[in-house]
Amino acid sequence: MTARFFPSFLAILLAVPLMGLLALTGCTGDEADRIDDLSDASFELVNQDSTTVTFPDDFAGQAIVVGYIYTQCPDICPMVTANMRQLRDRVDAPDDVAFVTITFDPRRDTPDRLRAYREAYGLGDTNWQFLTGDPDTISQLMERLDVRVELSRGSYEDDDYLIDHTDQISLIDPQQRVLFHYGGSMTPVDILAEDLATIRPAS
């Protein structure tokens, strides 16, 4: 099986350098088939409740579905979140799969704002984590996970700015290896569920 990548127009613009690498990836978990191994990484973040979360260590032993958003995104990010929610519903929210959303706009996306966003999607009573952190840590994490981010309007000194970004969902296996990147807003849920089944610890 090969990795799945269904880019939106924006993802095509921002993720072209990744395509050669993604074409080589697969789900076997062999070193040649992984995108990255995060077992040597540790990023201290906070969730929507201001609780410290160490990524990916705190999800060790689980398959991780990760989406990347900012809460003031006018188009792509709501579709990424909706796609992940459909996937979660499809697989019936099993304990061996962690659903995680990470903002790449930590200057505005405080825990309170992430909590409100999470509740707006009806996820307030779930264990789905929405994560933020200091800007340097978030920048390093986005780089590690192949998420490209740049301002398209305004400046970070203002509260009113827009961000161009990679449209992406990632699957990370229980050994903390990144095995799949997808066009997050438009990859069919059937494809996500099929690939997730191959990396779940219960599989």
Side-chain angles (χ1 to χ4, degrees):
M1 178 184 300
T2 58
R4 320 286 193 173
F5 195 72
F6 295 82
S8 68
F9 175 73
L10 182 58
I12 292 172
L13 292 178
L14 295 177
V16 166
L18 302 178
M19 295 302 289
L21 176 59
L22 291 169
L24 298 176
T25 61
C27 63
T28 66
D30 294 334
E31 186 168 357
D33 293 328
R34 72 185 64 153
I35 295 171
D36 195 3
D37 186 340
L38 299 181
S39 61
D40 65 344
S42 184
F43 298 90
E44 187 170 296
L45 307 173
V46 293
N47 70 9
Q48 70 284 338
D49 299 318
S50 298
T51 300
T52 299
V53 175
T54 303
F55 183 89
D57 296 354
D58 285 353
F59 305 99
Q62 295 177 288
I64 313 173
V65 182
V66 189
Y68 315 93
I69 60 104
Y70 74 113
T71 61
Q72 297 194 44
C73 179
D75 41 36
I76 296 298
C77 300
M79 292 188 286
V80 170
T81 304
N83 216 19
M84 288 179 64
R85 182 175 177 178
Q86 289 182 45
L87 175 62
R88 186 177 182 275
D89 292 344
R90 176 71 58 88
V91 299
D92 200 25
D95 292 338
D96 60 351
V97 179
F99 283 79
V100 178
T101 296
I102 306 173
T103 179
F104 42 77
D105 185 17
R107 293 167 180 82
R108 294 183 297 187
D109 285 344
T110 62
D112 285 346
R113 181 166 280 178
L114 289 177
R115 184 168 60 252
Y117 185 88
R118 180 175 179 257
E119 290 173 355
Y121 280 87
L123 301 169
D125 60 349
T126 72
N127 59 2
W128 187 326
Q129 302 262 6
F130 282 70
L131 304 179
T132 187
D134 69 77
D136 286 344
T137 300
I138 291 294
S139 179
Q140 292 168 21
L141 179 54
M142 293 301 106
E143 182 176 357
R144 186 72 186 260
L145 290 167
D146 298 323
V147 177
R148 296 176 177 234
V149 177
E150 62 180 46
L151 288 181
S152 62
R153 191 188 75 188
S155 70
Y156 286 129
E157 286 70 37
D158 303 323
D159 189 55
D160 183 22
Y161 55 83
L162 293 176
I163 301 173
D164 284 342
H165 58 89
T166 307
D167 171 15
Q168 186 167 296
I169 291 172
S170 304
L171 288 189
I172 302 174
D173 74 6
Q175 290 74 46
Q176 302 177 347
R177 298 172 298 193
V178 183
L179 298 185
F180 297 95
H181 288 325
Y182 308 83
S185 66
M186 59 187 301
T187 300
V189 173
D190 287 346
I191 297 292
L192 295 169
E194 176 185 325
D195 289 346
L196 178 58
T198 70
I199 67 171
R200 285 178 56 186
S203 298

